[in-house]
Amino acid sequence: MNKTVLITGATSGIGLGCAHKFAANGDRLILTGRNVMKLEAIRKDLEAKGTEVLIFAFDIRDREAARKAIERLPEEWQQIDVLVNNAGLALGLEPEYQGNLDDWEIMIDTNIKGLLTMTRLIVPGMIARNSGHIINIGSVAGDAAYAGGNVYCATKAAVKALSDGLRIDVADTAVRVTNLKPGLVETNFSNIRFHGDTARAAKLYQGIKPLTGDDIADVAVYAANAPEHVQIAEVLILATHQASGSVIVRK
């Protein structure tokens, strides 16, 4: 049975990969992001391939905008089967004692509070229907801190704890919770982290074949389509020559 899938941060990287992979699976999509032009382009592309798509442009940090978007869903779209909490980012690699307070606030508001907002808006409906799946995009960075990662690592550790806590909260229902933990993925993630310094971002991927957004999306689709009695609770996904968040062998 085809599902209704809501993906946050759907305009690039893992979110965009998820949009294409769930579309290829025959699902219909609700896509959110900050850039309305990118959302429109993705919608047109996917609709041309036969996928039903709704788009909502808002910043995941804006709780009221998120609430209004969900309230505007047509009745036939209100039963969301899969929520992919993907929107997130890293900013800076400075030591914690030299970090930028504004960068910290953006990461915390996006990676933690934004995820909580969407969870609070969508999951009650899943509980009422006794059906649904939340897929949170965490990170290997949530397992152990690495140099310069400090606050970003803390936000992804929070995603793990929130995923585990939600899984406990819904254990008496048929709702499932998955935490996907990617390692090195080549997206615009590093370009954003370095505030548009493309050359610096490119160095992170030299000497190793990193993961792609599609690689992570493949795992998300697999988890969402596992048999009803199977809950893929957590998956760590690394490039072949990456052993942990801080151990990467470049050749």
Side-chain angles (χ1 to χ4, degrees), residues 1 3 22 25 27 82 131-133 135 174 176-178 218-233 235:
M1 179 178 172
K3 299 178 176 68
F22 277 104
N25 192 58
D27 300 315
V82 180
S131 175
H133 197 150
I135 299 176
R176 301 183 292 186
V177 181
T178 298
D218 282 334
V219 183
V221 172
Y222 174 81
N225 288 278
E228 290 184 1
H229 71 288
V230 176
Q231 181 171 212
I232 309 298
V235 183

mmCIF file of all heavy atoms in Angstrom, residues 1 3 22 25 27 82 131-133 135 174 176-178 218-233 235:
data_model
loop_
_atom_site.group_PDB
_atom_site.id
_atom_site.type_symbol
_atom_site.label_atom_id
_atom_site.label_comp_id
_atom_site.label_asym_id
_atom_site.label_seq_id
_atom_site.Cartn_x
_atom_site.Cartn_y
_atom_site.Cartn_z
ATOM 1 N N MET A 1 0.843 -1.202 0.000
ATOM 2 C CA MET A 1 0.000 0.000 0.000
ATOM 3 C C MET A 1 0.876 1.248 0.000
ATOM 4 O O MET A 1 1.809 1.361 0.783
ATOM 5 C CB MET A 1 -0.910 -0.003 1.233
ATOM 6 C CG MET A 1 -1.810 1.210 1.338
ATOM 7 S SD MET A 1 -2.890 1.089 2.791
ATOM 8 C CE MET A 1 -3.599 2.732 2.744
ATOM 9 N N LYS A 3 2.151 5.028 0.628
ATOM 10 C CA LYS A 3 2.108 5.819 1.846
ATOM 11 C C LYS A 3 2.148 7.311 1.530
ATOM 12 O O LYS A 3 2.567 7.726 0.452
ATOM 13 C CB LYS A 3 3.304 5.461 2.738
ATOM 14 C CG LYS A 3 3.357 4.010 3.192
ATOM 15 C CD LYS A 3 4.611 3.777 4.024
ATOM 16 C CE LYS A 3 4.670 2.360 4.587
ATOM 17 N NZ LYS A 3 4.851 1.354 3.524
ATOM 18 N N PHE A 22 11.431 7.683 -2.170
ATOM 19 C CA PHE A 22 10.053 7.366 -1.776
ATOM 20 C C PHE A 22 9.105 7.529 -2.960
ATOM 21 O O PHE A 22 8.142 6.776 -3.100
ATOM 22 C CB PHE A 22 9.613 8.244 -0.600
ATOM 23 C CG PHE A 22 10.048 7.722 0.742
ATOM 24 C CD1 PHE A 22 11.111 8.312 1.423
ATOM 25 C CD2 PHE A 22 9.406 6.646 1.335
ATOM 26 C CE1 PHE A 22 11.517 7.833 2.662
ATOM 27 C CE2 PHE A 22 9.800 6.158 2.575
ATOM 28 C CZ PHE A 22 10.859 6.755 3.247
ATOM 29 N N ASN A 25 9.242 4.563 -4.975
ATOM 30 C CA ASN A 25 8.553 3.483 -4.273
ATOM 31 C C ASN A 25 7.039 3.548 -4.457
ATOM 32 O O ASN A 25 6.314 2.666 -3.998
ATOM 33 C CB ASN A 25 8.898 3.553 -2.779
ATOM 34 C CG ASN A 25 8.459 2.325 -2.024
ATOM 35 O OD1 ASN A 25 8.856 1.202 -2.330
ATOM 36 N ND2 ASN A 25 7.621 2.515 -0.999
ATOM 37 N N ASP A 27 5.121 6.191 -3.382
ATOM 38 C CA ASP A 27 4.477 6.955 -2.319
ATOM 39 C C ASP A 27 4.179 8.376 -2.785
ATOM 40 O O ASP A 27 4.755 8.867 -3.752
ATOM 41 C CB ASP A 27 5.385 6.993 -1.087
ATOM 42 C CG ASP A 27 5.690 5.598 -0.559
ATOM 43 O OD1 ASP A 27 4.743 4.792 -0.467
ATOM 44 O OD2 ASP A 27 6.870 5.307 -0.261
ATOM 45 N N VAL A 82 4.474 8.338 7.139
ATOM 46 C CA VAL A 82 5.904 8.374 7.444
ATOM 47 C C VAL A 82 6.337 9.825 7.599
ATOM 48 O O VAL A 82 6.090 10.648 6.715
ATOM 49 C CB VAL A 82 6.745 7.694 6.344
ATOM 50 C CG1 VAL A 82 8.232 7.756 6.698
ATOM 51 C CG2 VAL A 82 6.298 6.265 6.115
ATOM 52 N N SER A 131 -0.886 3.647 13.786
ATOM 53 C CA SER A 131 -0.111 3.328 12.590
ATOM 54 C C SER A 131 0.757 4.515 12.215
ATOM 55 O O SER A 131 0.303 5.664 12.263
ATOM 56 C CB SER A 131 -1.049 3.000 11.420
ATOM 57 O OG SER A 131 -0.325 2.790 10.233
ATOM 58 N N GLY A 132 2.008 4.246 11.864
ATOM 59 C CA GLY A 132 2.873 5.326 11.424
ATOM 60 C C GLY A 132 4.329 5.016 11.695
ATOM 61 O O GLY A 132 4.666 4.039 12.376
ATOM 62 N N HIS A 133 5.192 5.862 11.153
ATOM 63 C CA HIS A 133 6.631 5.623 11.260
ATOM 64 C C HIS A 133 7.344 6.964 11.280
ATOM 65 O O HIS A 133 7.127 7.813 10.412
ATOM 66 C CB HIS A 133 7.106 4.799 10.056
ATOM 67 C CG HIS A 133 8.437 4.159 10.245
ATOM 68 N ND1 HIS A 133 8.788 2.980 9.642
ATOM 69 C CD2 HIS A 133 9.531 4.533 10.968
ATOM 70 C CE1 HIS A 133 10.021 2.644 9.984
ATOM 71 N NE2 HIS A 133 10.494 3.585 10.786
ATOM 72 N N ILE A 135 11.061 8.588 11.054
ATOM 73 C CA ILE A 135 12.453 8.325 10.700
ATOM 74 C C ILE A 135 13.243 9.599 10.960
ATOM 75 O O ILE A 135 13.067 10.611 10.274
ATOM 76 C CB ILE A 135 12.594 7.890 9.231
ATOM 77 C CG1 ILE A 135 11.804 6.598 8.976
ATOM 78 C CG2 ILE A 135 14.071 7.702 8.862
ATOM 79 C CD1 ILE A 135 11.801 6.144 7.532
ATOM 80 N N ALA A 174 1.429 0.524 17.400
ATOM 81 C CA ALA A 174 2.087 -0.037 16.216
ATOM 82 C C ALA A 174 2.956 1.001 15.506
ATOM 83 O O ALA A 174 3.454 0.748 14.410
ATOM 84 C CB ALA A 174 1.044 -0.590 15.251
ATOM 85 N N ARG A 176 6.272 3.028 14.710
ATOM 86 C CA ARG A 176 7.681 2.648 14.740
ATOM 87 C C ARG A 176 8.571 3.888 14.675
ATOM 88 O O ARG A 176 8.181 4.908 14.100
ATOM 89 C CB ARG A 176 8.006 1.702 13.581
ATOM 90 C CG ARG A 176 7.164 0.430 13.604
ATOM 91 C CD ARG A 176 7.529 -0.533 12.495
ATOM 92 N NE ARG A 176 7.180 -0.035 11.168
ATOM 93 C CZ ARG A 176 7.293 -0.760 10.047
ATOM 94 N NH1 ARG A 176 7.769 -1.997 10.103
ATOM 95 N NH2 ARG A 176 6.963 -0.250 8.884
ATOM 96 N N VAL A 177 9.765 3.767 15.246
ATOM 97 C CA VAL A 177 10.708 4.881 15.276
ATOM 98 C C VAL A 177 12.085 4.387 14.843
ATOM 99 O O VAL A 177 12.597 3.401 15.380
ATOM 100 C CB VAL A 177 10.818 5.499 16.684
ATOM 101 C CG1 VAL A 177 11.790 6.687 16.675
ATOM 102 C CG2 VAL A 177 9.452 5.935 17.197
ATOM 103 N N THR A 178 12.670 5.095 13.888
ATOM 104 C CA THR A 178 13.989 4.736 13.349
ATOM 105 C C THR A 178 14.929 5.924 13.452
ATOM 106 O O THR A 178 14.549 7.050 13.113
ATOM 107 C CB THR A 178 13.870 4.307 11.874
ATOM 108 O OG1 THR A 178 13.044 3.149 11.773
ATOM 109 C CG2 THR A 178 15.238 4.000 11.281
ATOM 110 N N ASP A 218 17.983 5.143 0.576
ATOM 111 C CA ASP A 218 17.713 3.712 0.368
ATOM 112 C C ASP A 218 17.396 3.015 1.691
ATOM 113 O O ASP A 218 16.481 2.187 1.774
ATOM 114 C CB ASP A 218 18.926 3.033 -0.281
ATOM 115 C CG ASP A 218 19.024 3.290 -1.770
ATOM 116 O OD1 ASP A 218 17.984 3.544 -2.405
ATOM 117 O OD2 ASP A 218 20.150 3.226 -2.300
ATOM 118 N N VAL A 219 18.154 3.357 2.729
ATOM 119 C CA VAL A 219 17.939 2.737 4.042
ATOM 120 C C VAL A 219 16.616 3.212 4.638
ATOM 121 O O VAL A 219 15.883 2.438 5.263
ATOM 122 C CB VAL A 219 19.115 3.042 4.988
ATOM 123 C CG1 VAL A 219 18.921 2.345 6.331
ATOM 124 C CG2 VAL A 219 20.435 2.612 4.361
ATOM 125 N N ALA A 220 16.289 4.483 4.445
ATOM 126 C CA ALA A 220 15.025 5.023 4.952
ATOM 127 C C ALA A 220 13.836 4.297 4.325
ATOM 128 O O ALA A 220 12.882 3.913 5.025
ATOM 129 C CB ALA A 220 14.939 6.521 4.679
ATOM 130 N N VAL A 221 13.883 4.112 3.021
ATOM 131 C CA VAL A 221 12.781 3.420 2.329
ATOM 132 C C VAL A 221 12.690 1.970 2.789
ATOM 133 O O VAL A 221 11.591 1.433 3.003
ATOM 134 C CB VAL A 221 12.962 3.513 0.803
ATOM 135 C CG1 VAL A 221 11.935 2.643 0.079
ATOM 136 C CG2 VAL A 221 12.833 4.964 0.343
ATOM 137 N N TYR A 222 13.841 1.323 2.968
ATOM 138 C CA TYR A 222 13.847 -0.056 3.454
ATOM 139 C C TYR A 222 13.184 -0.143 4.827
ATOM 140 O O TYR A 222 12.337 -1.003 5.074
ATOM 141 C CB TYR A 222 15.277 -0.587 3.536
ATOM 142 C CG TYR A 222 15.364 -1.958 4.166
ATOM 143 C CD1 TYR A 222 15.103 -3.107 3.416
ATOM 144 C CD2 TYR A 222 15.665 -2.104 5.519
ATOM 145 C CE1 TYR A 222 15.161 -4.370 4.003
ATOM 146 C CE2 TYR A 222 15.731 -3.363 6.104
ATOM 147 C CZ TYR A 222 15.472 -4.486 5.341
ATOM 148 O OH TYR A 222 15.518 -5.727 5.929
ATOM 149 N N ALA A 223 13.571 0.762 5.733
ATOM 150 C CA ALA A 223 13.008 0.736 7.080
ATOM 151 C C ALA A 223 11.503 0.963 7.050
ATOM 152 O O ALA A 223 10.749 0.301 7.774
ATOM 153 C CB ALA A 223 13.687 1.794 7.953
ATOM 154 N N ALA A 224 11.067 1.890 6.212
ATOM 155 C CA ALA A 224 9.636 2.219 6.143
ATOM 156 C C ALA A 224 8.811 1.085 5.566
ATOM 157 O O ALA A 224 7.593 1.020 5.811
ATOM 158 C CB ALA A 224 9.440 3.487 5.316
ATOM 159 N N ASN A 225 9.444 0.201 4.824
ATOM 160 C CA ASN A 225 8.709 -0.881 4.173
ATOM 161 C C ASN A 225 9.013 -2.255 4.761
ATOM 162 O O ASN A 225 8.629 -3.278 4.187
ATOM 163 C CB ASN A 225 9.004 -0.867 2.674
ATOM 164 C CG ASN A 225 8.351 0.307 1.977
ATOM 165 O OD1 ASN A 225 7.181 0.268 1.638
ATOM 166 N ND2 ASN A 225 9.106 1.385 1.785
ATOM 167 N N ALA A 226 9.656 -2.278 5.909
ATOM 168 C CA ALA A 226 9.849 -3.546 6.611
ATOM 169 C C ALA A 226 8.491 -4.087 7.059
ATOM 170 O O ALA A 226 7.533 -3.322 7.223
ATOM 171 C CB ALA A 226 10.761 -3.329 7.821
ATOM 172 N N PRO A 227 8.363 -5.397 7.256
ATOM 173 C CA PRO A 227 7.105 -5.958 7.736
ATOM 174 C C PRO A 227 6.637 -5.263 9.009
ATOM 175 O O PRO A 227 7.457 -4.752 9.792
ATOM 176 C CB PRO A 227 7.451 -7.430 7.991
ATOM 177 C CG PRO A 227 8.601 -7.707 7.076
ATOM 178 C CD PRO A 227 9.396 -6.432 7.026
ATOM 179 N N GLU A 228 5.332 -5.235 9.233
ATOM 180 C CA GLU A 228 4.770 -4.467 10.344
ATOM 181 C C GLU A 228 5.332 -4.869 11.699
ATOM 182 O O GLU A 228 5.395 -4.045 12.612
ATOM 183 C CB GLU A 228 3.240 -4.600 10.344
ATOM 184 C CG GLU A 228 2.570 -3.882 9.177
ATOM 185 C CD GLU A 228 1.060 -3.950 9.256
ATOM 186 O OE1 GLU A 228 0.545 -4.538 10.235
ATOM 187 O OE2 GLU A 228 0.390 -3.422 8.354
ATOM 188 N N HIS A 229 5.745 -6.111 11.851
ATOM 189 C CA HIS A 229 6.257 -6.554 13.145
ATOM 190 C C HIS A 229 7.758 -6.282 13.309
ATOM 191 O O HIS A 229 8.330 -6.604 14.348
ATOM 192 C CB HIS A 229 6.004 -8.060 13.333
ATOM 193 C CG HIS A 229 6.849 -8.933 12.455
ATOM 194 N ND1 HIS A 229 6.640 -9.033 11.092
ATOM 195 C CD2 HIS A 229 7.925 -9.723 12.732
ATOM 196 C CE1 HIS A 229 7.531 -9.864 10.579
ATOM 197 N NE2 HIS A 229 8.332 -10.291 11.554
ATOM 198 N N VAL A 230 8.369 -5.660 12.296
ATOM 199 C CA VAL A 230 9.811 -5.381 12.318
ATOM 200 C C VAL A 230 10.023 -3.876 12.477
ATOM 201 O O VAL A 230 9.534 -3.079 11.681
ATOM 202 C CB VAL A 230 10.493 -5.876 11.029
ATOM 203 C CG1 VAL A 230 11.973 -5.498 11.030
ATOM 204 C CG2 VAL A 230 10.314 -7.378 10.863
ATOM 205 N N GLN A 231 10.776 -3.499 13.490
ATOM 206 C CA GLN A 231 11.127 -2.096 13.719
ATOM 207 C C GLN A 231 12.640 -1.938 13.577
ATOM 208 O O GLN A 231 13.404 -2.464 14.382
ATOM 209 C CB GLN A 231 10.689 -1.662 15.127
ATOM 210 C CG GLN A 231 11.001 -0.214 15.447
ATOM 211 C CD GLN A 231 10.364 0.242 16.759
ATOM 212 O OE1 GLN A 231 10.011 1.405 16.891
ATOM 213 N NE2 GLN A 231 10.202 -0.657 17.709
ATOM 214 N N ILE A 232 13.056 -1.247 12.528
ATOM 215 C CA ILE A 232 14.481 -0.954 12.340
ATOM 216 C C ILE A 232 14.788 0.236 13.249
ATOM 217 O O ILE A 232 14.593 1.385 12.880
ATOM 218 C CB ILE A 232 14.799 -0.630 10.868
ATOM 219 C CG1 ILE A 232 14.247 -1.698 9.931
ATOM 220 C CG2 ILE A 232 16.301 -0.450 10.691
ATOM 221 C CD1 ILE A 232 14.824 -3.071 10.130
ATOM 222 N N ALA A 233 15.263 -0.043 14.442
ATOM 223 C CA ALA A 233 15.379 0.995 15.465
ATOM 224 C C ALA A 233 16.497 1.989 15.170
ATOM 225 O O ALA A 233 16.335 3.196 15.360
ATOM 226 C CB ALA A 233 15.594 0.357 16.834
ATOM 227 N N VAL A 235 20.261 2.583 12.615
ATOM 228 C CA VAL A 235 21.203 2.102 11.605
ATOM 229 C C VAL A 235 22.350 3.101 11.490
ATOM 230 O O VAL A 235 22.135 4.294 11.262
ATOM 231 C CB VAL A 235 20.540 1.939 10.222
ATOM 232 C CG1 VAL A 235 21.550 1.363 9.227
ATOM 233 C CG2 VAL A 235 19.303 1.053 10.290
#
